[in-house]
Amino acid sequence: VYKRQDLENERQSTQLLKAMAVAGFATMNIMLLSVSVWSGADSSTKDLFHIISAIVAVPVVIYSGQVFFRSAFGALSAGRLNMDVPISLAVLLALGMSIFETMTGGTEAYFDAATMLLFFLLIGRYLDQKMREKARNSAVALSNLTAKGANRVMPDGEVSYIAADEIAPGMVLRLLPGDRVPADGLLARGNTEFDRSHVTGESDPVKRGVGQSIEAGALNLTGLIDLEVEKSADQSFLAEIGRMLEAAEQGRGHYTRIADRMARIYAPAVHLLALITFLFWLWTTNGDWHASLTTAIAVLIITCPCALGLAVPVAHVVAASRLLSDCLLYTS
């Protein structure tokens, strides 16, 4: 399962990186042409540069904007709005208006705005994807600390191997040097040293004796011990870290849920604001649809919800990934 997920995540990261690189390259080149136009190029030069910009921008928007267009189309097909709908609309309207200006010999075109918007948004998407990959890698490293089972000491003194999911509180487990602790518990017999770097981040061994507690995932280094289980494996310290990491990876923290609820309100509000802006300018300019549409596009671009849509989940995943990378520093 993890291998298939890793391959799919790698494919998505590569696709985002390529789209970001293409958008960035196109933005830089279109900006160079735009500077010449803004600097006072004559009419024929301006028209030529607009045509060249269109030749560069149109395929770039089609290629680099796929991640937003597909998401927006999927949301609209389901009868709802998401953050990518206003983004897609802003990019396509800016591109369409620029093509119209180029075909009619207009003084201004906005190809650089369309590609630049995609470039910066793709940076955010790519960073978000990479942070989620780091969190998933931490989850894999965490799973390597989980014992698959342990030797149980029966009341009659016999020892039998049981799987981790069969371990229950009150059982006594016998751990040899080199064994991982499968569940939280107290030492019932023996003394030993443990590697607790997954808890403390420190590689120095920690001594434990009878009556002292130890967390799941610790590595028994020196002595043979008996451990009285206090919690089942699925309720252990290690399992709790795994659940926290999974929640962080999915970005379903408290503030993320608030952002999701805000997004359902924010996207329709942005479209309504752009429509009101268009109608207001159409009224104040006595029917100048060109100026009205340009202003409405500007509203869509300015209100593109980069922070609301990306910053909150990125912050959650980065924090969790950093925490786990520190805890698991000495396990690799």
Side-chain angles (χ1 to χ4, degrees):
V1 175
Y2 275 115
K3 187 173 183 181
R4 290 197 299 269
Q5 289 179 345
D6 290 343
L7 291 174
E8 178 62 20
N9 294 332
E10 184 177 355
R11 186 192 66 80
Q12 293 178 0
S13 296
T14 302
Q15 183 180 2
L16 285 172
L17 182 60
K18 289 179 179 178
M20 182 180 67
V22 169
F25 180 78
T27 297
M28 289 186 290
N29 284 276
I30 294 174
M31 283 295 294
L32 289 175
L33 299 174
S34 299
V35 168
S36 300
V37 173
W38 297 336
S39 299
D42 58 47
S43 179
S44 59
T45 302
K46 171 182 66 61
D47 292 341
L48 176 61
F49 282 180
H50 282 173
I51 292 173
I52 297 175
S53 297
I55 294 173
V56 174
V58 171
V60 168
V61 169
I62 293 173
Y63 174 75
S64 296
Q66 290 182 63
V67 60
F68 304 105
F69 301 154
R70 289 174 179 171
S71 175
F73 181 77
L76 292 174
S77 299
R80 58 183 177 83
L81 295 174
N82 65 3
M83 294 297 191
D84 292 328
V85 175
I87 292 173
S88 300
L89 187 59
V91 170
L92 292 175
L93 285 176
L95 182 67
M97 179 65 88
S98 301
I99 293 173
F100 175 81
E101 290 288 322
T102 300
M103 294 177 62
T104 58
T107 57
E108 295 180 356
Y110 315 101
F111 296 110
D112 52 342
T115 56
M116 187 181 297
L117 179 61
L118 284 177
F119 175 58
F120 285 116
L121 289 172
L122 284 167
I123 291 175
R125 290 293 171 93
Y126 179 71
L127 291 177
D128 180 55
Q129 178 73 13
K130 296 304 292 183
M131 290 305 103
R132 292 181 186 278
E133 285 184 16
K134 289 181 66 176
R136 280 188 287 267
N137 291 336
S138 296
V140 173
L142 189 66
S143 68
N144 293 333
L145 301 179
T146 305
K148 303 300 185 291
N151 292 313
R152 179 187 178 186
V153 181
M154 306 300 290
D156 60 1
E158 292 293 324
V159 177
S160 62
Y161 183 85
I162 60 173
D165 57 3
E166 298 177 8
I167 296 175
M171 290 183 177
V172 177
L173 307 177
R174 181 155 296 170
L175 303 179
L176 303 175
D179 288 344
R180 290 273 180 193
V181 178
D184 299 353
L186 297 173
L187 266 70
R189 184 174 72 89
N191 298 280
T192 188
E193 292 183 338
F194 289 101
D195 178 357
R196 297 179 65 241
S197 58
H198 70 299
V199 180
T200 64
E202 299 292 339
S203 60
D204 292 339
V206 177
K207 292 183 179 180
R208 286 288 189 271
V210 174
Q212 292 183 299
S213 62
I214 191 66
E215 305 89 354
L219 179 65
N220 182 18
L221 296 177
T222 56
L224 184 149
I225 59 170
D226 287 349
L227 180 78
E228 183 179 349
V229 178
E230 289 188 306
K231 297 180 180 179
S232 60
D234 60 351
Q235 297 297 322
S236 67
F237 169 81
L238 200 62
E240 183 63 23
I241 293 179
R243 285 190 289 270
M244 292 172 61
L245 182 62
E246 182 180 356
E249 180 191 344
Q250 297 300 324
R252 307 313 301 176
H254 174 67
Y255 293 106
T256 303
R257 291 193 294 270
I258 293 177
D260 289 342
R261 289 196 295 269
M262 287 297 296
R264 290 194 289 268
I265 302 172
Y266 186 83
V270 166
H271 290 89
L272 181 60
L273 180 61
L275 177 61
I276 292 173
T277 301
F278 175 77
L279 295 176
F280 176 78
W281 275 78
L282 198 64
W283 175 63
T284 56
T285 58
N286 295 320
D288 187 350
W289 68 269
H290 186 279
S292 303
L293 185 58
T294 301
T295 308
I297 294 172
V299 170
L300 287 172
I301 292 177
I302 291 171
T303 55
C304 277
C306 307
L308 185 62
L310 295 174
V312 172
V314 168
H316 276 76
V317 176
V318 169
S321 178
R322 182 61 179 273
L323 175 64
L324 263 296
S325 65
D326 289 343
C327 288
L328 302 175
L329 179 64
Y330 295 101
T331 64
S332 58

